[in-house]
Amino acid sequence: MGELQLPSIELLEKKLPEWILFEKLLADLESIGRVHVLGVTSSAHHQLPLIAMSFGSQDPKAPVLALFGGVHGLERIGSQVVLALMRSFSELLLWDQLLQDALSKLRVVFFPMVNPLGIMNMRRANPNGVDLMRNSPITALEKPTFLVGGHLISPKLPWYRGHNGMEPESQALIQLCKEQFFESSAVVTVDFHSGFGTQDRLWFPYAKTREPFPHLPEMYALSEKFERTFPNHFYRIEPQAKNYTTHGDLWDYLYDEYMKTNSGTYLSLTLEMGSWMWVRKNPLQLFSSLGPYHPIKPHRQKRILRRHITLFDFLVRTVISHSSWSSLSSEQRNKNKDRAYDLWYPHLEKK
Ligand SMILES: [Zn+2]
């Protein structure tokens, strides 16, 4: 690590204060969690290590909840939300016996800044101009929208897939997931983004096709549980491809890889925080450098940082008590599949 050309403290304070907060958390939590250094991201001027942290059971088969943020550098609010959740979680670990007991059976993983130099440079892409969410080797099964769905034309255009295989940030993400949950029988991951639409959306796979993914019945079970437990929640839960399909989604890739070797249940969620509602309340924001992806006003930022606490709490509990959605009887699976088709795929013929 001593060899890295780290940005100066002054630069970090100005352009990447999240990193300073993260380093403090890492130092504070060293004794109760495990730090995973997964690689290095480099631009022409700077380098930063790619770091995640995990807590709880080290049994490879233990159920896992994992949170990710900052894949798209412009959407730094995602990193801030994950850091805020990580901080509350670690405070709870100091005194909350329920959580302490639960962690003997459960693993919780945080990777708050997948693309830290993208955040620092205020760019969606990584320093090589690659959109990490278009960077996996997955090819969409249905032709995606031109450019937005991922392309190989030029790193100067957004949504560029990259010509050199997996980027360091993608490799770090994949390595972490393989190490932390590829042997687990019940997994939920949430990747925090912002920028699409006016409502907070929880998307489930796939991005590559409008066809349902194999764990649709389990996804329905989890969703139904959320609706029943928190009927006033504000998320719209839906398949990602209902909005658009893309090439190269990293979560599609990880899901398919998991399914090759594991007969367990993996629900890979993407939280798209509806940032257009922030713009509607503050139209001048369109002209700021972060544009429509980030809430500028401090009170709005605070509100968003606490907005997802209920979801996180729910997910911790459902991952601990996973058998109610991860090991359904075949009768229940068929019933859920029927209902899920009615809810999310009314135009498709049931298979
Ligand atoms: Zn995004």
Side-chain angles (χ1 to χ4, degrees), residues 121-232:
N121 299 331
M122 295 202 284
R123 293 194 59 191
R124 175 183 172 92
N126 80 345
N128 297 329
V130 175
D131 185 332
L132 300 172
M133 250 335 125
R134 307 287 184 274
N135 186 223
S136 88
I138 296 276
T139 305
L141 304 181
E142 294 136 47
K143 201 169 184 260
T145 313
F146 178 61
L147 292 182
V148 179
H151 63 83
L152 291 167
I153 302 168
S154 158
K156 297 206 170 79
L157 295 170
W159 308 295
Y160 173 61
R161 298 189 62 188
H163 268 101
N164 299 310
M166 300 270 217
E167 293 292 311
E169 298 85 353
S170 307
Q171 287 181 33
L173 181 78
I174 289 164
Q175 183 194 328
L176 178 72
C177 291
K178 288 191 169 169
E179 285 170 4
Q180 296 299 321
F181 65 76
F182 265 42
E183 288 178 52
S184 167
S185 57
V187 185
V188 177
T189 58
V190 189
D191 183 15
F192 288 71
H193 288 249
S194 70
F196 186 89
T198 55
Q199 194 182 357
D200 289 340
R201 289 156 196 261
L202 266 175
W203 284 344
F204 57 83
Y206 282 114
K208 66 178 180 182
T209 172
R210 290 185 187 82
E211 292 291 317
F213 78 131
H215 283 127
L216 186 65
E218 288 74 15
M219 186 62 223
Y220 185 85
L222 189 85
S223 165
E224 189 190 36
K225 201 168 289 308
F226 193 43
E227 303 283 354
R228 293 177 72 108
T229 314
F230 298 105
N232 299 314

Side-chain angles (χ1 to χ4, degrees), residues 72 75 193 272:
H72 290 138
E75 300 160 17
H193 288 249
E272 277 284 342

